[in-house]
Amino acid sequence: MVEITYKTLTGEVLTGYIRTDNAANILFGVEEFVQVFGDEEKTKPGPYIRVDSIGEIYY
């Protein structure tokens, strides 16, 4: 899992986690939407977000 920050439609900046393979696909320009999780264990599934709303990817 990789930690990210992303901006919601209301402009709020949140922190979440995405799968490592999704993060790699973002870097290659393959992904358009990814699912965000609230924790690294994937027990708190969150929304699917557009990749262009991601501000930072922390490896």
Side-chain angles (χ1 to χ4, degrees):
M1 298 297 280
V2 177
E3 185 176 353
I4 63 164
T5 59
Y6 64 98
K7 187 179 277 191
T8 65
L9 293 175
T10 60
E12 185 179 6
V13 177
L14 300 175
T15 300
Y17 296 89
I18 60 173
R19 291 182 174 95
T20 305
D21 60 333
N22 287 345
N25 288 339
I26 289 169
L27 295 176
F28 291 116
V30 178
E31 294 285 352
E32 194 171 331
F33 291 92
V34 293
Q35 185 174 17
V36 177
F37 293 90
D39 63 347
E40 290 189 78
E41 291 77 31
K42 297 187 274 187
T43 60
K44 300 177 184 172
Y48 283 85
I49 62 169
R50 292 185 57 83
V51 170
D52 58 2
S53 67
I54 296 174
E56 298 284 338
I57 298 176
Y58 304 100
Y59 283 97

